[in-house]
Amino acid sequence: MQKTFVFVKFTIVNFTIKHCLVKRLLHTLLLFLGFYLVSDVKGQVYVAVNGSDVNTGTEEQPKASLHGALRAVREMRRSNGATLNRPIHIIIKEGTYYLAEPVVLRPEDAGTLQSPTIIQAAANATVNISGGIQVTGWKKLAGSADL
């Protein structure tokens, strides 16, 4: 009976060691994947109304929001630190972007003299950033001519 208990205890410890190893490998893989996705941006992060915040932020795979683009730039600065010596552009493509929450720009979002963060509209694009919500489905109340 005691051997069985020791065997079970060993198996649990062995499982825990394997579990921790798998967890550590997964974290390392995610770190490298995140670095790859952020380093692929190359100093420009694109935003488009048809984008997704899980995209890389390239022109072909734009972010969906200014929030997503700012997170990508923050990660780029965190990952590359002092090695960034070029401006980082957040380029917003044509469209209206409705904000679900305020955009908060922190002092570190400005970047450095060698690597400022520049938020701009794409060439010849009209970009609207709205803090309101779009209201649809309004109907005039019957019998209320003066309203």
Side-chain angles (χ1 to χ4, degrees), residues 59-82:
E59 191 167 9
E60 297 79 25
Q61 293 185 326
K63 298 283 186 182
S65 67
L66 185 54
H67 293 96
L70 284 168
R71 278 192 299 274
V73 170
R74 288 175 188 140
E75 180 62 25
M76 194 184 310
R77 292 197 184 285
R78 189 188 66 73
S79 298
N80 298 311

Side-chain angles (χ1 to χ4, degrees), residues 39-101:
S39 65
D40 190 39
V41 175
K42 295 186 174 59
Q44 295 180 335
V45 179
Y46 286 87
V47 179
V49 292
N50 62 345
S52 171
D53 282 342
V54 298
N55 286 348
T56 58
T58 61
E59 191 167 9
E60 297 79 25
Q61 293 185 326
K63 298 283 186 182
S65 67
L66 185 54
H67 293 96
L70 284 168
R71 278 192 299 274
V73 170
R74 288 175 188 140
E75 180 62 25
M76 194 184 310
R77 292 197 184 285
R78 189 188 66 73
S79 298
N80 298 311
T83 62
L84 286 174
N85 56 6
R86 65 187 184 284
I88 297 176
H89 295 264
I90 295 176
I91 302 169
I92 306 174
K93 293 184 174 186
E94 180 98 20
T96 300
Y97 298 84
Y98 296 96
L99 301 177
E101 59 188 75

Side-chain angles (χ1 to χ4, degrees), residues 12 30 93 96 107 117 127:
I12 292 172
L30 289 175
K93 293 184 174 186
T96 300
T117 301
V127 175

Side-chain angles (χ1 to χ4, degrees), residues 133-141 147:
I133 59 170
Q134 197 171 26
V135 179
T136 59
W138 283 94
K139 295 179 184 174
K140 188 173 182 176
L141 186 61
L147 293 180

